[in-house]
C-alpha cells in the first residue's frame, strides 16, 4: 500500500514538473488601456496607417495594400484597396491572416456604381496581419493582398485590441 502510494505520488510530481516546464504560447489577444481610438486614417500613397484619438496620432504603421494599389476598388477581383470613408464593422479572431478587423466596404455608393455596370462590388475588406499565408505566399512583395490593408502579425494584435466597432476608417489615395 505504501509502495503504491509512493509510486503514485512520484508519478504525479513528475507529471506536474513536466507541465511546468512547457513554455506557454503567448496569447494573440492583447489589452489596450490607452486613449480611445476615434479614427483610422490610411494614406495609400505613403503606405501608412495612423490611429488617432481626437486629433492626436496614437500609433502609425507601415502597410501593404491590394496587388493593384492605385485607384479605388470598384469590382470584385480588381485587387484594389477602397478609398473613402468606411467604418470598423467586425472582428475575426480566426482569420487566416492571424487576426483581422473588418472595414464596411462596400457602402451604398460602391454598390450602386458596380450595379450600373452589372458587376459585383466585392467585399471582405479587412485590416489584417500576414499569417502563414501572407508569409509563405508573398514573403517579399510590398502590395500583395486582394484589396485589404496588411500589417505584421504583432501589429494586428495591437490594432485588434485598440479598435472598436463603428470607428471611422478614412482611406486616402
Amino acid at each position: 500500500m505504501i509502495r503504491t502510494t509512493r509510486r503514485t505520488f512520484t508519478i504525479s510530481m513528475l507529471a506536474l514538473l513536466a507541465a511546468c516546464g512547457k513554455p506557454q504560447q503567448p496569447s494573440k489577444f492583447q489589452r489596450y488601456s490607452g486613449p480611445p481610438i476615434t479614427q483610422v486614417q490610411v494614406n495609400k500613397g505613403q503606405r501608412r496607417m495612423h490611429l488617432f484619438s481626437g486629433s492626436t496620432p496614437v500609433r502609425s504603421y507601415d502597410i501593404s495594400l491590394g496587388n493593384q494599389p492605385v485607384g479605388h476598388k470598384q469590382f470584385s477581383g480588381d485587387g484594389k484597396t477602397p478609398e473613402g470613408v468606411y467604418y470598423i464593422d467586425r472582428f475575426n479572431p480566426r482569420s487566416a491572416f492571424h487576426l483581422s478587423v473588418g472595414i464596411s466596404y462596400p457602402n451604398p455608393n460602391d454598390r450602386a456604381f458596380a450595379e450600373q455596370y452589372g458587376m459585383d462590388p466585392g467585399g471582405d475588406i479587412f485590416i489584417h496581419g500576414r499569417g502563414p499565408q501572407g508569409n509563405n505566399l508573398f514573403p517579399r512583395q510590398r502590395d500583395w493582398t486582394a484589396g485589404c490593408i496588411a500589417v505584421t502579425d504583432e501589429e494586428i494584435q495591437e490594432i485588434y485590441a485598440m479598435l472598436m466597432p463603428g470607428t471611422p476608417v478614412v482611406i486616402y489615395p
Side-chain angles (χ1 to χ4, degrees):
M1 175 104 173
I2 292 176
R3 183 176 254 170
T4 305
T5 304
R6 194 176 289 168
R7 182 176 295 143
T8 303
F9 176 76
T10 303
I11 291 171
S12 297
M13 291 307 292
L14 287 173
L16 181 63
L17 287 172
C20 290
K22 281 186 181 179
Q24 290 211 337
Q25 293 284 15
S27 174
K28 62 182 177 180
F29 302 103
Q30 298 182 4
R31 292 185 189 266
Y32 174 69
S33 59
I37 301 303
T38 58
Q39 187 177 82
V40 176
Q41 291 183 8
V42 175
N43 185 312
K44 289 172 54 175
Q46 293 177 351
R47 304 298 191 282
R48 294 285 287 170
M49 179 172 65
H50 309 281
L51 277 55
F52 285 85
S53 181
S55 60
T56 304
V58 175
R59 288 295 309 235
S60 295
Y61 305 90
D62 290 327
I63 59 172
S64 296
L65 300 170
N67 57 33
Q68 299 296 318
V70 177
H72 173 60
K73 182 166 195 60
Q74 297 175 325
F75 309 117
S76 178
D78 65 9
K80 295 181 179 184
T81 301
E83 296 170 359
V85 178
Y86 299 94
Y87 298 90
I88 299 300
D89 66 353
R90 61 202 182 278
F91 291 80
N92 183 0
R94 293 188 178 102
S95 172
F97 298 98
H98 195 60
L99 291 170
S100 60
V101 179
I103 297 174
S104 63
Y105 177 88
N107 64 27
N109 292 338
D110 298 319
R111 281 190 192 90
F113 181 85
E115 251 178 49
Q116 78 184 33
Y117 291 94
M119 301 286 286
D120 176 2
D124 284 338
I125 300 298
F126 289 87
I127 300 168
H128 61 66
R130 290 188 65 85
Q133 286 190 352
N135 286 327
N136 294 334
L137 298 175
F138 310 100
R140 289 183 173 66
Q141 277 184 266
R142 175 65 179 195
D143 295 318
W144 56 272
T145 76
C148 295
I149 298 161
V151 294
T152 68
D153 290 350
E154 293 77 21
E155 290 168 338
I156 193 58
Q157 289 177 190
E158 184 176 81
I159 294 163
Y160 193 94
M162 296 171 85
L163 296 178
M164 299 297 290
T167 303
V169 179
V170 183
I171 306 172
Y172 298 102

